[in-house]
Amino acid sequence: MTQNTTQSTAVALPPPKERRRLREAKSLTEKEVATAMGVTRATVRSWETGRTTPRGRKAEAYAKLLSGIETELRTEAARAERAERAAVRAAQERSAARDHHTYESRIQDRTAETDPAPPTTETETETEADADANTDTDVRADTGTEPGTAVGAERPSTATPDQAFDALYAFAAPALVRQAYLLTGRRALSQESVERAFHLAWQRWPEVAVDRDPAGWVRAAAYEYAMSPWHRLRRAHRHPDPAAPGGGREGPGGRALHEALLALPPSYRRTLLLYDGLGLGLPETAAETEASTPAAANRLMHARGAVTDRLPELADPELLHEQLGVLARTVEPPALSPARSVRSGSERRARLWTRAAIAFTVLIVGATGFTLATAPTRYDPPQAPGERVGGVPVPSGPQRLSSQDLILRDQLRNEPMNGPHRLVPEAL
């Protein structure tokens, strides 16, 4: 008895579902595991379903096999995570190098305009600092993060909620409305999406204020509303807005890229804009689109392929990233309402929904009370439906009298007394 208890506690096997998950994660079939263990496929299947449990040396060998599979899977996951971090770090370095190149080109252009060879003075140093700040503001406006604050950094809470919301709206709203227009091709819908997202943000401001990326929170809400399929039922949003003569501020090439972007499915369109347009990492893109990282990578590859089929000159991902960034900055955004109007509209909408909920609750309570007051207090069983009865003779009355029968009836009625004639007394 002691020996069996020691043996059972020495071998720790994972649950049956975990056994099957480990086998499938390693892409092993039941036949391969059965061959390695020296048993049949039916035995392996019964181990994975929990009908039976291996014992003795089989249990030790099976536990060792599963432990090795789990160790290999953890190693592969760690290796993939390191590779993904390296790819993200390389993308960030490329983005930083591209931003630095843009900054240097702007400084050179400004220097050439003012003086071909100006001396280094304090004023020039301040001008370079201003140019650096403007470049940083442009880059962060494209990505939708607050200026001077890294994603995940703590922000000082000295401002009031109204001031913090107004600052977030003034910074993120113009870039978000341009991005929403790239996703939908409809200016009115993009404006409505951004304002509705900020309405929701103001209603949940305690949650948004402490979020690690408030602009990303609002961006996700705006994208979700803009990409809703229910807008197809609205006549004003069934078709994209017509292009301006000559391509407008987008230019002919930008308009062609915009049309290629609108031709993609909604999920592919959103993934391509987040990754190649805004420069988000693949894990962040997958999290915002509510998909796994492999699924987001698959959508990105298909979206790039579809855009390349329409525009072969954008086969290079770096060039596509640059063109999408330029398009996101140069597209003409629709007019936005002031931040105060957005806050008041959010509060007005909240009051309206609150009153509607109260009125609906009162209506339900009134209907329930009326039903209780007018409902019967006892149970009256329903009458059974009529049934056809058989075996009963058909009712019949006397036959119709003939003329002779009528004469005889009249004679009998006219007799002085009823009864036979012999019983009638005679007068003496």
Side-chain angles (χ1 to χ4, degrees):
M1 186 68 180
T2 306
Q3 183 179 1
N4 293 337
T5 306
T6 306
Q7 184 177 3
S8 62
T9 55
V11 180
L13 290 174
K17 293 183 179 180
E18 182 67 14
R19 304 169 192 172
R20 181 176 180 180
R21 187 193 69 81
L22 291 175
R23 177 181 62 80
E24 293 179 349
K26 194 59 179 175
S27 299
L28 296 176
T29 61
E30 295 179 353
K31 184 177 180 180
E32 293 175 351
V33 176
T35 303
M37 296 298 301
V39 295
T40 61
R41 292 180 56 186
T43 303
V44 175
R45 189 180 300 109
S46 63
W47 289 351
E48 293 182 352
T49 55
R51 292 196 299 268
T52 60
T53 303
R55 298 180 180 179
R57 296 182 179 178
K58 295 293 183 181
E60 296 177 359
Y62 192 45
K64 185 177 181 180
L65 175 64
L66 296 178
S67 177
I69 293 176
E70 186 176 3
T71 303
E72 293 179 4
L73 291 177
R74 290 180 179 178
T75 304
E76 294 177 358
R79 189 182 300 111
E81 185 177 0
R82 289 194 297 270
E84 184 177 349
R85 290 180 179 177
V88 172
R89 191 180 302 108
Q92 292 177 353
E93 291 176 357
R94 289 196 301 269
S95 178
R98 183 169 55 252
D99 297 340
H100 182 68
H101 177 71
T102 303
Y103 164 72
E104 290 182 350
S105 62
R106 290 186 179 183
I107 294 299
Q108 293 176 3
D109 294 342
R110 292 188 180 184
T111 304
E113 291 177 359
T114 55
D115 191 358
T120 303
T121 60
E122 183 179 359
T123 305
E124 182 180 354
T125 305
E126 294 178 356
T127 304
E128 293 178 358
D130 295 339
D132 191 6
N134 293 334
T135 304
D136 182 72
T137 302
D138 294 340
V139 173
R140 292 181 179 273
D142 294 337
T143 57
T145 56
E146 294 186 5
T149 303
V151 176
E154 296 182 357
R155 293 171 295 276
S157 58
T158 57
T160 62
D162 297 350
Q163 295 174 351
F165 178 83
D166 295 349
L168 177 63
Y169 181 81
F171 169 74
L176 288 180
V177 75
R178 286 194 293 264
Q179 297 165 19
Y181 175 67
L182 290 181
L183 289 175
T184 60
R186 302 163 178 84
R187 300 185 184 277
L189 180 58
S190 60
Q191 177 186 359
E192 180 182 351
S193 303
V194 174
E195 292 183 357
R196 185 65 62 86
F198 276 98
H199 284 174
L200 187 62
W202 181 242
Q203 294 175 10
R204 304 180 181 178
W205 184 247
E207 173 188 350
V208 179
V210 299
D211 193 85
R212 60 184 298 270
D213 186 12
W217 193 98
V218 180
R219 180 181 61 235
Y223 283 11
E224 197 70 25
Y225 184 84
M227 305 295 289
S228 176
W230 294 104
H231 296 307
R232 302 174 185 174
L233 303 178
R234 304 169 62 180
R235 181 176 300 178
H237 301 314
R238 290 180 181 177
H239 304 286
D241 295 343
R249 292 181 56 183
E250 302 177 15
R255 186 62 190 179
L257 178 58
H258 194 189
E259 292 177 354
L261 185 64
L262 293 177
L264 297 175
S267 58
Y268 292 4
R269 194 186 317 162
R270 183 175 180 179
T271 303
L272 184 64
L273 180 61
L274 289 174
Y275 188 82
D276 284 336
L278 305 184
L280 268 68
L282 194 59
E284 290 79 7
T285 302
E288 188 161 332
T289 56
E290 297 181 355
S292 61
T293 303
N298 190 22
R299 293 175 182 177
L300 181 63
M301 293 176 57
H302 283 81
R304 285 178 175 176
V307 173
T308 304
D309 292 341
R310 296 174 65 98
L311 301 174
E313 63 273 11
L314 298 180
D316 187 8
E318 292 294 335
L319 183 59
L320 178 60
H321 172 73
E322 181 179 357
Q323 292 296 327
L324 280 176
V326 172
L327 184 61
R329 290 190 297 268
T330 58
V331 67
E332 184 178 358
L336 287 172
S337 303
R340 181 179 300 178
S341 301
V342 174
R343 283 191 285 107
S344 60
S346 176
E347 295 171 357
R348 184 168 56 254
R349 180 181 294 273
R351 288 194 299 269
L352 177 62
W353 280 106
T354 303
R355 293 172 181 174
I358 294 175
F360 187 68
T361 304
V362 171
L363 180 62
I364 292 178
V365 171
T368 305
F370 177 77
T371 302
L372 293 176
T374 58
T377 58
R378 65 179 185 278
Y379 175 73
D380 294 332
Q383 295 182 358
E387 296 181 0
R388 192 178 188 86
V389 180
V392 179
V394 179
S396 60
Q399 298 294 330
R400 186 176 182 180
L401 300 179
S402 60
S403 57
Q404 295 180 357
D405 295 335
L406 293 175
I407 295 173
L408 179 59
R409 188 190 63 182
D410 294 339
Q411 290 180 357
L412 292 174
R413 289 179 177 177
N414 293 331
E415 289 292 334
M417 296 184 64
N418 296 329
H421 180 69
R422 65 176 180 274
L423 297 181
V424 176
E426 295 181 355
L428 298 178

